[in-house]
Amino acid sequence: MAILITGGAGYIGSHTCLELLNIGYEVVVVDNLSNSNKESLDRVDKITGKHIQFYNIDLLDRENLEAVFMENKIDAVIHFAGFKAVGESVELPLSYYQNNITGTIILCQVMQKYNVKKMVFSSSATVYSPTTSGAISEDSPLGATNPYGRTKLMIEEILRDLYVSDNSWSISLLRYFNPVGSHISGRIGEDPNGIPNNLTPYITQVAVGKLNQLRIFGDDYPTSDGTGVRDYIHVVDLAKGHLKAIDKVMIVTGVEAYNLGTGKGYSVLEMVHAFEQTSGKSIPYIIVDRRPGDVAVCYADSSKAKRELGWVAERGIEEMCADAWRWQLNNPNGYHDVEDKVIIGQGS
Ligand code: NAD
Ligand code: UFG
């Protein structure tokens, strides 16, 4: 069975390709490498001993996208491709709407034409209203606060409308909380361009000496230590969630949203201390003003994914930190490091 992965060379996509190959799927990737490096897929090939069919194509390029569907018998699509930086989306809203929304519409039109109507879509916890308190369930109020979040919310609506128009579609909307960590091999991982926006890559780059100190955005939130609380989820658990969602879309039609999180929140300082413990490195930090748009607390109620997909996150915070650190240590410059270091006993 062949799965088309859009954005498969990226952080979550490459980890998902690996898990799919490991359980015997054929994997076809479409990625324009706008925020990734083909080396990630070459390494997945080496780790798994299998081969990914790769197309360097932009989703907006309908003609070449159609050729992928003509050349391969695609059974389902996992749609990761999109821009994802919240701050950048405020600066460049039209690029975000064009890339994320138009890209999705073209993909769906091509899928429809080739009668492929099973999709797993990368949504985000950012679709929930920031006023929500406590564990966030799929029924919590929605309401994104920036263009990036609005693209996710709008795409969810577009996919729901698509199903209403044609009940033979089968779509899972996976709302990720905060993906961190990397594959245990330390050979694939998160490779942000420039200075990282997100907490974990920032911490690992301080630990490896690329950045001087972490700036903690606010210590006056109503949380146990005043710093923001998030539901960090190991990227391998997240990747495995996609396998469960694929199983589901193969057998039922409809559109369903699922939260993928651990249900447990950790503060920024708890993450820093956990990382110091696993890495043995100290992480110097300063407290600065709150980052505009940040909420105090955000964690998932993932009971629906457990109930309906049979999925739960298995990896804890130590594993998240240890794996993020192994990747960073082996690849201080991400995929720009030419050498693919294989650690004996942790190959796959
Ligand atoms: P990523 O940037 O590493 O991966 C996205 C991939 O899509 C990249 O390889 C990029 O080159 C590709 N891409 C972008 N636009 C494209 C286009 N028009 N045509 C072809 N390829 C294109 O991001 P990620 O962290 O792996 O995230 C994957 C998905 O999950 C994204 O949709 C993102 O919005 C969503 N998501 C991510 C997070 C997170 O914190 N990482 C959280 C919630 C949701
Ligand atoms: N933080 C710092 N310093 C930093 C970076 C982050 O203190 O340098 C803090 C933030 O204030 C927040 C926490 O660390 O309290 C996590 O911040 P991230 O930027 O890592 O993650 P966010 O929760 O802000 O957002 C992430 C993705 C969004 C996605 C959301 C929900 O960036 O795209 O998770 O899935 F929508």
Side-chain angles (χ1 to χ4, degrees), residues 7 9-13 31-36 57-59 80-82 84 99 122-124 148 152 176-177 179:
Y11 172 45
I12 307 170
D31 198 306
N32 64 359
L33 304 179
S34 56
N35 195 38
S36 53
I57 289 175
D58 194 310
L59 276 190
F80 291 106
K84 64 165 184 176
N99 193 57
S122 292
S123 190
S124 168
Y148 163 69
K152 293 294 178 192
Y176 314 151
F177 281 66

Side-chain angles (χ1 to χ4, degrees), residues 123-174:
S123 190
S124 168
T126 193
V127 299
Y128 291 112
S129 163
T131 56
T132 309
S133 60
I136 297 173
S137 79
E138 291 78 0
D139 298 328
S140 295
L142 301 175
T145 57
N146 56 69
Y148 163 69
R150 278 187 278 276
T151 68
K152 293 294 178 192
L153 211 41
M154 288 177 195
I155 293 169
E156 287 198 2
E157 293 302 321
I158 290 167
L159 296 175
R160 287 184 196 281
D161 286 340
L162 183 58
Y163 172 71
V164 170
S165 74
D166 174 355
N167 287 348
S168 61
W169 278 85
S170 179
I171 300 169
S172 274
L173 312 170
L174 301 185

